[in-house]
Amino acid sequence: MLQTSHAVAASNVVDAEFVRAVLHGLAQPQKTLPCRYFYDARGSDLFELITELPEYYLTRSEAALLVGNASAITGQLTPDQVIVELGAGSSRKMDALLRLAPAGITFVPIDVSRYALNEARTRLSAKFPALVFRPVVDDFSTLDAFPADLRHRKKLGFFLGSTIGNLDPKQASDMLRSWRRTLGDDAELVIGVDLLKDETTLIRAYNDAAGVTAQFNLNILARINREITPAFHLPSFEHRAVFNAGMSRIEMHLTSRVSQVVQICGQTFSFAAGESIHTENSYKHSTSAFRTIVEEAGWRIGRTWTDGLFSLYHLA
């Protein structure tokens, strides 16, 4: 599950890309919807609630690792270097690290949400007035808009929240390879990765007793109803989280309780009872599996910080 907050301002304008993604995904033999569309304002609020649930260990584990190892992570930074946060959201996870960074260092948070970056600027400028804040509104997977005047400077990147788990191994390796080209051969990167563990713990993390994750998953249908057309009867779908052992991933689905037909923008989509929309993958990696992904992308794992549930990997 993505752990970035992409709250956006309300708009009456239909997002054409959103419409295309919905129509394309629902037309597939296994119906899908892209997980990036979880994160409207309502979805972001629900995800914040998820991070506080007793079953959802990921956020707590990563935060504790960042705080407990902040000195080791930032110890070699110099004022002329650049800290880059990929998929930054509001950058709240960076506080413990920025507190120890040299005065005057440049911080480049990258996120698709201008709203989240503005929120981060306001908060961080008050806490760290010496920080040089250079936000970039861009898709972290491409980095097309990275500031040209900073490309020659050495960078320490952060990709937190186990967001890399939303990508299959080839996609993850391809993205890391592209970051190597953009960030530079001398760049370093710290990545948060959820570890492969027992199925019970994993399922509980994505199927909490309070039903908040179910609301979060169903919100993508509610968003279609709000922003495109009132097509879905939400009580006719139920949240389902399963562990696919062969693929080493948690899968989130929305399963149709009944046989039904949905119409969106003149197109008709039929659902059999029990048929699902696949909304998200969250891959869980052993250290050896993640090392293969990293090395295929031209990086090497250096230091590792872990609590046995979650790991921070330092790549160079």
Side-chain angles (χ1 to χ4, degrees), residues 189-200:
L189 187 61
V190 175
I191 298 188
V193 178
D194 193 21
L195 299 177
L196 183 62
K197 58 185 65 66
D198 68 280
E199 183 173 339
T200 300

Side-chain angles (χ1 to χ4, degrees), residues 109-115 117-118 134-140 145:
I110 300 170
D111 200 272
V112 294
S113 172
R114 190 179 302 276
Y115 176 92
L117 292 173
N118 287 340
R134 294 283 302 276
V136 173
V137 180
D138 195 14
D139 183 340
F140 64 71

Side-chain angles (χ1 to χ4, degrees), residues 66-67 69-72 74-75 77 94-103 128:
L66 288 169
V67 171
N69 299 286
S71 296
T74 61
L77 283 171
M94 295 297 295
D95 283 20
L97 305 169
L98 294 175
R99 187 175 294 113
L100 298 179
F128 309 111

Side-chain angles (χ1 to χ4, degrees), residues 40-110:
D40 64 349
R42 173 63 175 158
S44 295
D45 289 342
L46 285 169
F47 184 72
E48 290 303 314
L49 293 177
I50 288 171
T51 64
E52 299 172 3
L53 294 170
E55 298 96 332
Y56 197 76
Y57 60 86
L58 291 83
T59 303
R60 288 188 299 277
S61 288
E62 183 177 58
L65 290 170
L66 288 169
V67 171
N69 299 286
S71 296
I73 293 170
T74 61
Q76 303 302 312
L77 283 171
T78 59
D80 61 320
Q81 289 182 255
V82 178
I83 298 174
V84 181
E85 187 183 11
L86 301 138
S90 59
S91 292
R92 292 187 181 276
K93 299 170 191 170
M94 295 297 295
D95 283 20
L97 305 169
L98 294 175
R99 187 175 294 113
L100 298 179
I105 200 166
T106 299
F107 177 50
V108 181
I110 300 170

Side-chain angles (χ1 to χ4, degrees), residues 8-300:
V8 295
S11 172
N12 292 322
V13 178
V14 176
D15 185 334
E17 183 181 349
F18 183 29
V19 174
R20 286 193 296 270
V22 168
L23 296 178
H24 174 76
L26 295 182
Q28 303 309 304
Q30 166 61 72
K31 295 177 173 65
T32 65
L33 289 170
C35 64
R36 65 182 180 274
Y37 291 113
F38 282 146
Y39 295 92
D40 64 349
R42 173 63 175 158
S44 295
D45 289 342
L46 285 169
F47 184 72
E48 290 303 314
L49 293 177
I50 288 171
T51 64
E52 299 172 3
L53 294 170
E55 298 96 332
Y56 197 76
Y57 60 86
L58 291 83
T59 303
R60 288 188 299 277
S61 288
E62 183 177 58
L65 290 170
L66 288 169
V67 171
N69 299 286
S71 296
I73 293 170
T74 61
Q76 303 302 312
L77 283 171
T78 59
D80 61 320
Q81 289 182 255
V82 178
I83 298 174
V84 181
E85 187 183 11
L86 301 138
S90 59
S91 292
R92 292 187 181 276
K93 299 170 191 170
M94 295 297 295
D95 283 20
L97 305 169
L98 294 175
R99 187 175 294 113
L100 298 179
I105 200 166
T106 299
F107 177 50
V108 181
I110 300 170
D111 200 272
V112 294
S113 172
R114 190 179 302 276
Y115 176 92
L117 292 173
N118 287 340
E119 180 187 67
R121 179 194 289 275
T122 299
R123 188 179 62 82
L124 292 174
S125 295
K127 294 188 73 168
F128 309 111
L131 187 69
V132 179
F133 197 84
R134 294 283 302 276
V136 173
V137 180
D138 195 14
D139 183 340
F140 64 71
S141 67
T142 59
L143 300 187
D144 292 332
F146 195 88
D149 63 307
L150 299 178
R151 288 183 180 270
H152 68 286
R153 291 166 63 176
K154 184 174 180 179
K155 303 164 194 71
L156 173 61
F158 291 88
F159 190 46
L160 303 176
S162 74
T163 308
I164 199 165
N166 294 127
L167 306 176
D168 68 37
K170 182 181 185 306
Q171 290 171 329
S173 187
D174 288 347
M175 187 173 67
L176 290 173
R177 187 178 299 108
S178 73
W179 288 352
R180 171 59 90 190
R181 290 192 297 268
T182 302
L183 299 178
D185 290 339
D186 61 347
E188 300 172 33
L189 187 61
V190 175
I191 298 188
V193 178
D194 193 21
L195 299 177
L196 183 62
K197 58 185 65 66
D198 68 280
E199 183 173 339
T200 300
T201 300
L202 290 171
I203 291 292
R204 279 169 48 86
Y206 292 83
N207 192 29
D208 60 278
V212 181
T213 309
Q215 294 179 58
F216 176 75
N217 198 7
L218 284 162
N219 181 65
I220 198 167
L221 302 186
R223 183 175 181 182
I224 293 170
N225 288 350
R226 288 191 297 267
E227 298 184 17
I228 301 177
T229 187
F232 289 96
H233 180 240
L234 267 61
S236 296
F237 290 85
E238 64 180 348
H239 163 72
R240 184 165 60 96
V242 297
F243 181 61
N244 184 330
M247 301 294 289
S248 191
R249 71 189 187 194
I250 286 283
E251 297 178 1
M252 292 215 310
H253 293 257
L254 290 167
T255 301
S256 180
R257 298 177 185 268
V258 297
S259 176
Q260 58 182 306
V261 174
V262 172
Q263 292 188 329
I264 302 174
C265 299
Q267 296 192 34
T268 299
F269 304 98
S270 298
F271 290 82
E275 185 178 1
S276 76
I277 306 170
H278 188 173
T279 54
E280 185 182 56
N281 292 320
S282 292
Y283 284 83
K284 310 303 175 184
H285 298 293
S286 65
T287 296
S288 60
F290 189 64
R291 179 177 289 109
T292 298
I293 291 171
V294 165
E295 292 182 352
E296 286 180 351
W299 298 81
R300 293 290 182 271

